[in-house]
Amino acid sequence: MTFGIMADASAPAKIIFSGEHSVVYGQPALAIAINLRCHVKITKDGEGLLITSKNYIQKYYYSTAKLENVLSGKIINSKLDNIAMAVLTVFKPNEISHKLEINSEIPIGAGLGSSAAVAVATVTAALKIKGQKYDSKIISDKAFICERIAHGNPSGIDNLISTYGGIVRFQNGNMIKLDLEYEIPIIIIDTKIPKETKKMVELVKKNWKSNPEKYNDIFNKMGTLTSKIEKELLNNNLENIGYLMLENQKFLEKIGVGIPNIEKLISNLSKLNTFGYKITGAGGGGAIIVLMKNGDTKEAIKIVETLGYDVYETKITNLGVN
Ligand code: MEV
């Protein structure tokens, strides 16, 4: 039943502070919701599903027949089927007569969880416009269906953190929220080297299959690092965390998800007042997180900008989907 003609929702981006990739193999990961959001508005309008966006993707129209195909697992538009699926987790194809507007602050393909945020916000707006009861678990589970379309074999951490917000320790589908009384001084550098999470997850799987013993050992060590980072986060020991991030970065490079030609950026990072840095998300491109030594990140941001990268000063947000 339709109670309204318009519904909107927004959901945050995330950084993986530790444990990307190894989390797919059952190890723990730490994720943090950050203050960049994806806003979605759904209006009852026309027939089928029209997706539009100011700054994210092109306009695309799904007829009822196309929506039926997406539901049955066919690829109609590889970049947008995950978003169509978000509406299809709530409505049957022949019930869909909606316009979906996306307005996202989250850079796409940077490893900051843009696809999860759009799925979480879209599922929520669709549930609202349908007038269906929901809770965070329902939203996150439905968004996970969309994430599987976008990323093949994801762990589920991205949809979860975007739904719940805050800081989360995630392992095998279960989460614990961590309470921090302080802001972690992180900047995010988007290298603007395009990457696809799906491809990176597949690459790591291929490497793992070629030598499971070696990779299981690395994933175990990455899991241990994540637990150490969690402990140091709770102790507010940024220096130790920075050291552990650098260790983590070495493992990410070992499993094949390093960022090409990153040396120039890294050598310039040494001029900054940093404790450590690492890839965040799927790697192979996308974003790096840098832990700063003091709260004043302005100088660092200037240096990074002059190198031609996009840079974001990050605040943790406890506001998940809204
Ligand atoms: C992507 O944000 C994190 C990965 O570990 C994939 C996943 O956990 O689904 C690379």
Side-chain angles (χ1 to χ4, degrees):
M1 191 171 21
T2 305
F3 290 120
I5 54 158
M6 191 282 281
D8 55 8
S10 75
K14 64 89 193 29
I15 52 174
I16 305 269
F17 202 62
S18 183
E20 47 277 271
H21 290 294
S22 49
V23 68
V24 177
Y25 299 82
Q27 296 296 331
L30 296 169
I32 301 178
I34 57 167
N35 57 333
L36 295 170
R37 298 188 76 84
C38 175
H39 303 261
V40 166
K41 184 165 119 184
I42 297 185
T43 318
K44 197 146 173 50
D45 191 5
E47 204 188 288
L49 179 68
L50 177 66
I51 302 181
T52 65
S53 169
K54 277 193 195 138
N55 48 0
Y56 193 61
I57 30 153
Q58 76 280 28
K59 205 170 178 175
Y60 192 77
Y61 174 67
Y62 284 92
S63 62
T64 307
K66 282 183 182 171
L67 290 167
E68 266 157 10
N69 281 327
V70 173
L71 196 59
S72 64
K74 295 204 178 85
I75 298 173
I76 300 301
N77 180 323
S78 61
K79 299 245 182 287
L80 301 180
D81 288 350
N82 58 324
I83 303 172
M85 182 53 93
V87 183
L88 285 163
T89 62
V90 177
F91 290 100
K92 294 193 180 101
N94 64 4
E95 292 172 343
I96 298 177
S97 52
H98 296 97
K99 198 170 121 193
L100 177 73
E101 286 171 76
I102 302 166
N103 191 354
S104 185
E105 299 155 4
I106 309 170
I108 194 164
L112 301 179
S114 62
S115 66
V118 74
V120 166
T122 303
V123 164
T124 308
L127 286 163
K128 272 186 182 175
I129 204 167
K130 195 171 184 189
Q132 198 168 308
K133 279 200 179 141
Y134 59 88
D135 60 19
S136 298
K137 182 168 178 346
I138 291 175
I139 295 169
S140 182
D141 287 351
K142 286 184 185 296
F144 188 41
I145 298 171
C146 313
E147 282 289 272
R148 283 212 208 98
I149 293 182
H151 298 156
N153 180 32
S155 62
I157 192 169
D158 289 10
N159 44 286
L160 197 120
I161 187 71
S162 186
T163 304
Y164 289 88
I167 306 182
V168 156
R169 178 194 213 265
F170 175 92
Q171 188 167 20
N172 290 324
N174 300 312
M175 70 154 198
I176 300 172
K177 267 201 150 193
L178 304 184
D179 264 339
L180 287 197
E181 308 261 303
Y182 63 97
E183 193 65 58
I184 312 170
I186 310 167
I187 58 170
I188 299 176
I189 301 175
D190 182 1
T191 62
K192 293 195 272 187
I193 300 169
K195 68 107 191 80
E196 274 183 45
T197 300
K198 192 174 189 167
K199 286 199 179 129
M200 299 317 291
V201 172
E202 276 166 9
L203 173 76
V204 174
K205 191 171 182 186
K206 197 172 133 225
N207 292 344
W208 172 71
K209 275 192 171 162
S210 73
N211 194 342
E213 219 170 290
K214 174 180 159 193
Y215 279 85
N216 284 338
D217 181 52
I218 297 178
F219 294 145
N220 280 335
K221 288 181 174 142
M222 290 170 89
T224 306
L225 264 182
T226 297
S227 298
K228 284 187 186 164
I229 291 183
E230 180 186 353
K231 199 169 137 225
E232 298 299 359
L233 262 180
L234 295 170
N235 289 339
N236 192 358
N237 192 337
L238 296 185
E239 189 166 357
N240 282 359
I241 295 171
Y243 170 76
L244 295 166
M245 283 169 84
L246 294 171
E247 290 294 297
N248 204 332
Q249 171 67 15
K250 284 185 206 149
F251 283 126
L252 289 167
E253 281 166 15
K254 259 193 202 159
I255 63 169
V257 301
I259 297 183
N261 304 321
I262 199 184
E263 294 77 14
K264 186 175 156 218
L265 172 60
I266 299 291
S267 67
N268 279 286
L269 284 181
S270 61
K271 291 183 203 152
L272 306 178
N273 226 0
T274 65
F275 279 128
Y277 51 82
K278 66 176 271 293
I279 287 164
T280 186
I288 297 172
I289 49 173
V290 184
L291 186 64
M292 302 302 299
K293 270 193 187 158
N294 57 39
D296 182 22
T297 52
K298 298 279 175 289
E299 189 55 32
I301 288 175
K302 245 191 265 160
I303 294 178
V304 177
E305 273 173 349
T306 53
L307 293 168
Y309 301 106
D310 285 347
V311 58
Y312 302 89
E313 195 175 350
T314 311
K315 295 257 178 295
I316 302 168
T317 178
N318 277 315
L319 186 65
V321 65
N322 186 26

